[in-house]
Amino acid sequence: MKKCVISIMALMLVVTSFAQEKKMFTPEDASYNNYAVYARGKSFKWLGDTDKYVFAEENELRYQTPGEKSSHTLLSLDQLNIIAKEIGFDEFKRLPNITWLDENSGYFYKRNDDGNTTLNLLNIKDKSIKKLTAFPSDAENTTLNVKTMRVAYTIGNDLYIADGGRQLRLTENPDHVIAGQSVHRNEFAINGGIFWSPDGSKLAYYLMDESMVTDYPIVDITTRIAEAKPIKYPMAGMTSHIVKLHVYDIAAGTDVVMQTGEPEEHYLTAITWNNDNEKIYIGILNRGQDTLNFNEYNALNGEFNKTIFHDEDEQFVEPQGPAYFLPGSTTEFVWLAQRDGYYHIWLHNTKTLKARQIEKGNYVVTSFDGFDGNGNAYYTSTEVSPLQRHFYMVSLKSGKKVRITQKHGTHSVSPSKSGRFFIDNYTSTDVPRAADIMDAKGRFFAPLYQAENPIKDYNIGVTELDTIKSEDGQDLYTRIIKPYNFDENEKYPVIVYVYGGPHAQLITDTWLAGAGIYLNYLAQEGFIVFTVDNRGSADRGEAFEQVIHRQCGQMEMHDQMTGIEYLKTKPYVDPERIGSDGWSYGGFMSTSLKINYPETFKVSVAGGPVINWKYYEIMYGERYMDTPQENPEGYELTALDNKTDKLEGKLLMIHCTTDPVVMWQNSLSFVENAIHNGKLMDYFVYPGHDHNVYGMDRAHLIKKITEYFKENL
């Protein structure tokens, strides 16, 4: 075992005679009902294309140039209201969120009493506000093209454009046909349904036909006679939605469909416009999700031009974003691909069809962050550590790179237009929230802000991070949170908090090491709280993440049990009092651990659990499990509603009655099987909540879980 313990400095609080003066967390604190206990940051933006940065201070926007000793007033609330009064605007109670276009002008949205929202241009030099366009305040999926200041939006199933004083309605759809919204499950670089051309003259949009998809009943109990409100939910192996990509030409008033071919049950991902505004690119991912063709189409007539590249993988291909064309180029773009086992930046050419890898190594590029004007690209990666995120600048020509961020932690960086300076927003295990100015050589230039420790007045235990080895020798990161009044001579019960699924990482070099207030609240109540990020979790590379393919939960459980063996080496752990807790994939994992290792887990809590992958939707379910027809052995192996004969000890299962993600049927099928097998369990529902419990009711959920562990563990 490789020892790599990180003590969280801000949490290393010695219990002294003054401990009784410190506060205790409440369930309300842990449920986001008290934002005072969460680290809040201060916002800094670049002032348009300048090297000046803007920030709010009381009722003023102030600006400063790196190196200056003091800041200057850019705009005050009083000044804004003087301008607003002259054009008949209602008085502003606070400064709006302004996006700066240049040193003097920026745009903002304002919701008005007439039921409309206006897009407005502020010019502080001219002391003017101009209403650019308006749209209904109930509009959704609003997407702005900055060059034309046109706003595309949806109302219901239809798509509209606000263009100056006119409103264009692009679609009049029947039921179950939806325009301009995300399709499928917001993955594979599908994070919206509206795509402006660079010059704003054309609008690409998804049109999804759900009419052939099975209705799934969601029951609304708020009416005297409960009502069924069905949603379209295609389960693994069943008929999927049909999605098309349309392009609307505003000047011509024409709408064309891209000819993406057969079979129609495929995924249209990574929508990208060419800088020439005439060609558009679609990543055609087959339903089996193991083959991707990145195709070029003529946006004027919808015709297929050519395939730019073809990627395939024995397990699955997961595009992580659109292509990014180099500024001013119509032939070169960068793409994130996992072709050597890790996501890296590749430079592609649409004419030669050649590709070149820009940087490489045993780390993951987690995001592509843009270009500068000098032939460099920006990206964020795990190169320093899988627990950290650092920002880099790399030459697209030579591959030479500069690490901009230096302090340990997780960074989010914004470069100035010139590329001379960078605003580095970051958090770490010992910094709640902070911002610095860095220069282009990665040198610290000036501090901007550091938040105070928001929980300095609370009883907090020590958090320790460590590294253990999986069965195949890979590093697994662990986190232990101890009670604030920890006594090394005592034996403590343990709650294993688990998620374990793809696209999630629970342990990070962030404030509280990613644990948040809830897990610290559980520790405060007298438990050791333990987490291990098993194989299958995010940002560790292809081999680490794809090991779960066709057998979800199996390798993950092995790694969780490796964590249990590690726990048992701790003299303060009571091996007879170990429980598990998790939600969604974590609920699936918590139940799986309870069923397969009843001798280890005395008590388990499972919220919103996937119980049988045949009840889960197509996009996610088939990626990791294939279809039930293709992988019957895997579905049988991972199903939990046929294994309740193994249930022992205490299990609390929780589900929200209107969950549209993990259908209520999952946990109900488990309960039914437990009844048939004569097994007792505890079950609780939250009426009217979706995939988790939020708002004021979340405190109730936390009380419910905590009391269950206190009573039984």
Side-chain angles (χ1 to χ4, degrees):
M1 179 178 67
K2 182 174 74 176
K3 190 73 171 176
C4 179
V5 176
I6 303 175
S7 294
I8 312 306
M9 290 173 57
L11 307 184
M12 294 276 290
L13 303 181
V14 179
V15 180
T16 69
S17 59
F18 297 101
Q20 67 271 18
E21 297 178 8
K22 288 188 174 291
K23 301 177 185 178
M24 301 287 281
F25 288 129
T26 66
E28 287 72 22
D29 294 333
S31 59
Y32 301 93
N33 291 333
N34 177 10
Y35 286 95
V37 300
Y38 295 89
R40 291 174 290 179
K42 192 172 182 178
S43 177
F44 297 86
K45 297 179 180 179
W46 293 110
L47 182 55
D49 54 4
T50 75
D51 283 338
K52 301 172 183 177
Y53 56 90
V54 183
F55 58 95
E57 197 167 90
E58 296 180 344
N59 286 326
E60 285 191 340
L61 281 179
R62 303 188 65 81
Y63 73 91
Q64 193 167 344
T65 302
E68 278 191 301
K69 292 183 178 180
S70 59
S71 61
H72 315 275
T73 298
L74 179 67
L75 179 71
S76 71
L77 182 60
D78 288 341
Q79 291 170 339
L80 178 65
N81 277 322
I82 291 172
I83 300 172
K85 186 176 182 180
E86 291 179 356
I87 64 166
F89 258 39
D90 295 335
E91 183 180 61
F92 287 87
K93 303 300 182 184
R94 63 184 66 86
L95 288 166
N97 182 17
I98 301 170
T99 300
W100 295 98
L101 300 170
D102 54 41
E103 189 169 7
N104 296 310
S105 63
Y107 64 86
F108 65 91
Y109 295 95
K110 187 176 188 298
R111 183 182 289 249
N112 302 296
D113 294 336
D114 62 1
N116 287 323
T117 294
T118 54
L119 172 65
N120 311 281
L121 183 67
L122 168 71
N123 190 301
I124 56 175
K125 184 177 181 180
D126 296 344
K127 298 181 180 178
S128 65
I129 297 175
K130 180 181 179 182
K131 297 179 183 179
L132 299 174
T133 193
F135 50 88
S137 292
D138 60 350
E140 298 179 309
N141 304 299
T142 54
T143 308
L144 170 69
N145 178 267
V146 175
K147 286 196 174 181
T148 61
M149 289 296 169
R150 291 167 172 157
V151 179
Y153 61 92
T154 65
I155 294 179
N157 289 359
D158 289 310
L159 178 64
Y160 302 78
I161 295 175
D163 180 16
R166 63 175 181 157
Q167 305 289 313
L168 304 176
R169 182 171 182 170
L170 274 59
T171 64
E172 293 187 34
N173 292 324
D175 290 344
H176 308 307
V177 177
I178 302 168
Q181 300 182 31
S182 289
V183 295
H184 306 295
R185 288 286 160 176
N186 274 28
E187 297 181 53
F188 295 150
I190 297 172
N191 52 15
I194 297 171
F195 314 93
W196 281 109
S197 64
D199 67 357
S201 65
K202 302 175 186 67
L203 185 73
Y205 64 93
Y206 285 130
L207 188 74
M208 177 169 66
D209 185 352
E210 297 184 304
S211 60
M212 68 292 296
V213 176
T214 303
D215 286 337
Y216 193 94
I218 299 291
V219 179
D220 177 8
I221 66 165
T222 60
T223 57
R224 183 178 181 188
I225 302 298
E227 295 181 13
K229 295 189 173 179
I231 64 171
K232 294 294 186 178
Y233 191 90
M235 291 184 178
M238 298 177 70
T239 302
S240 182
H241 322 86
I242 300 300
V243 177
K244 302 290 186 182
L245 187 77
H246 288 237
V247 172
Y248 182 81
D249 187 313
I250 295 175
T254 57
D255 188 292
V256 297
V257 182
M258 301 302 103
Q259 299 171 17
T260 51
E262 301 288 342
E264 289 186 311
E265 283 192 333
H266 52 205
Y267 300 101
L268 308 185
T269 73
I271 309 303
T272 306
W273 278 96
N274 192 300
N275 284 327
D276 66 7
N277 303 290
E278 295 182 353
K279 294 187 286 290
I280 197 166
Y281 301 83
I282 307 174
I284 308 292
L285 187 70
N286 67 324
R287 178 164 170 173
Q289 305 183 39
D290 55 9
T291 300
L292 175 76
N293 288 318
F294 193 68
N295 292 342
E296 179 184 282
Y297 297 86
N298 184 323
L300 305 180
N301 59 26
E303 292 180 358
F304 166 77
N305 287 344
K306 58 187 173 183
T307 297
I308 305 301
F309 66 80
H310 170 88
D311 279 348
E312 60 182 78
D313 189 281
E314 187 176 344
Q315 280 74 42
F316 47 84
V317 179
E318 286 189 272
Q320 295 297 295
Y324 302 91
F325 273 84
L326 275 61
S329 175
T330 59
T331 58
E332 289 188 301
F333 65 85
V334 300
W335 176 264
L336 291 185
Q338 196 168 223
R339 294 164 183 158
D340 65 351
Y342 296 89
Y343 281 104
H344 288 297
I345 298 173
W346 291 74
L347 181 64
H348 283 263
N349 190 296
T350 61
K351 283 193 174 180
T352 66
L353 304 186
K354 292 181 178 180
R356 176 168 56 87
Q357 189 171 354
I358 299 302
E359 41 70 52
K360 61 181 63 178
N362 294 339
Y363 60 88
V364 175
V365 173
T366 56
S367 67
F368 177 78
D369 300 318
F371 304 96
D372 69 4
N374 302 309
N376 299 309
Y378 302 127
Y379 68 92
T380 302
S381 82
T382 65
E383 185 170 356
V384 173
S385 163
L387 304 187
Q388 299 184 38
R389 299 292 183 272
H390 285 278
F391 187 85
Y392 293 82
M393 179 172 65
V394 62
S395 167
L396 293 172
K397 183 177 181 180
S398 68
K400 181 180 178 181
K401 60 187 176 184
V402 176
R403 176 179 159 189
I404 301 297
T405 55
Q406 302 298 323
K407 296 175 181 177
H408 79 89
T410 298
H411 298 259
S412 176
V413 176
S414 172
S416 66
K417 181 71 173 179
S418 71
R420 293 179 58 205
F421 299 105
F422 300 80
I423 296 174
D424 175 19
N425 292 282
Y426 64 96
T427 175
S428 70
T429 51
D430 47 19
V431 176
R433 198 65 73 174
D436 294 334
I437 292 282
M438 309 295 293
D439 70 13
K441 294 185 177 179
R443 297 175 302 198
F444 173 80
F445 194 86
L448 292 179
Y449 170 80
Q450 179 152 341
E452 292 185 5
N453 178 356
I455 54 175
K456 63 182 184 301
D457 297 328
Y458 288 80
N459 283 311
I460 301 293
V462 172
T463 296
E464 294 176 350
L465 306 187
D466 205 349
T467 311
I468 60 178
K469 292 290 185 182
S470 65
E471 292 173 330
D472 61 356
Q474 299 198 65
D475 285 343
L476 304 175
Y477 293 96
T478 68
R479 180 183 61 216
I480 288 177
I481 308 174
K482 297 176 179 177
Y484 73 95
N485 53 0
F486 177 76
D487 182 344
E488 62 182 10
N489 296 313
E490 292 288 330
K491 292 280 190 181
Y492 289 89
V494 177
I495 298 173
V496 177
Y497 183 76
V498 60
Y499 180 77
H503 299 289
Q505 186 183 28
L506 298 185
I507 304 167
T508 53
D509 189 352
T510 57
W511 182 236
L512 301 180
I517 303 299
Y518 168 55
L519 299 188
N520 280 278
Y521 168 74
L522 290 177
Q524 181 183 265
E525 292 295 303
F527 300 98
I528 297 291
V529 181
F530 176 75
T531 296
V532 57
D533 274 330
N534 50 243
R535 283 172 292 172
S537 55
D539 296 333
R540 294 293 305 278
E542 185 176 53
F544 190 92
E545 296 171 36
Q546 291 190 350
V547 70
I548 70 173
H549 188 236
R550 292 172 66 93
Q551 53 173 4
C552 285
Q554 307 312 298
M555 292 300 108
E556 300 97 301
M557 283 193 291
H558 285 299
D559 290 350
Q560 292 295 325
M561 293 310 294
T562 298
I564 294 296
E565 294 308 309
Y566 163 74
L567 271 180
K568 290 179 178 178
T569 67
K570 304 296 184 182
Y572 51 80
V573 166
D574 185 346
E576 302 301 317
R577 290 189 293 161
I578 295 177
S580 63
D581 176 28
W583 200 279
S584 193
Y585 201 104
F588 164 66
M589 285 295 300
S590 187
T591 309
S592 297
L593 291 167
K594 181 65 173 171
I595 290 292
N596 288 278
Y597 301 96
E599 72 284 354
T600 297
F601 293 92
K602 182 181 179 183
V603 182
S604 291
V605 175
V610 179
I611 293 298
N612 192 318
W613 288 102
K614 73 180 182 181
Y615 297 135
Y616 205 68
E617 59 83 27
I618 282 178
M619 185 185 232
Y620 187 101
E622 292 183 3
R623 181 186 325 145
Y624 301 117
M625 289 292 293
D626 291 335
T627 67
Q629 298 89 333
E630 295 165 329
N631 183 24
E633 300 86 359
Y635 277 81
E636 177 70 17
L637 175 67
T638 59
L640 298 170
D641 54 1
N642 59 2
K643 299 181 177 66
T644 61
D645 57 308
K646 300 178 181 179
L647 181 61
E648 297 178 21
K650 302 292 291 185
L651 170 65
L652 170 62
M653 195 165 280
I654 304 171
H655 219 118
C656 298
T657 63
T658 57
D659 191 335
V661 178
V662 179
M663 294 305 168
W664 193 7
Q665 183 177 2
N666 278 271
S667 61
L668 290 176
S669 69
F670 186 90
V671 172
E672 181 184 37
N673 192 253
I675 294 169
H676 291 336
N677 283 314
K679 296 291 184 175
L680 300 179
M681 60 176 290
D682 296 298
Y683 193 75
F684 199 82
V685 298
Y686 281 90
H689 283 278
D690 292 341
H691 187 46
N692 212 316
V693 182
Y694 296 107
M696 300 302 293
D697 291 348
R698 188 165 183 82
H700 185 281
L701 170 69
I702 291 171
K703 292 175 188 176
K704 181 70 178 176
I705 294 172
T706 305
E707 288 305 311
Y708 195 77
F709 281 123
K710 290 172 77 171
E711 290 171 8
N712 298 296
L713 198 61

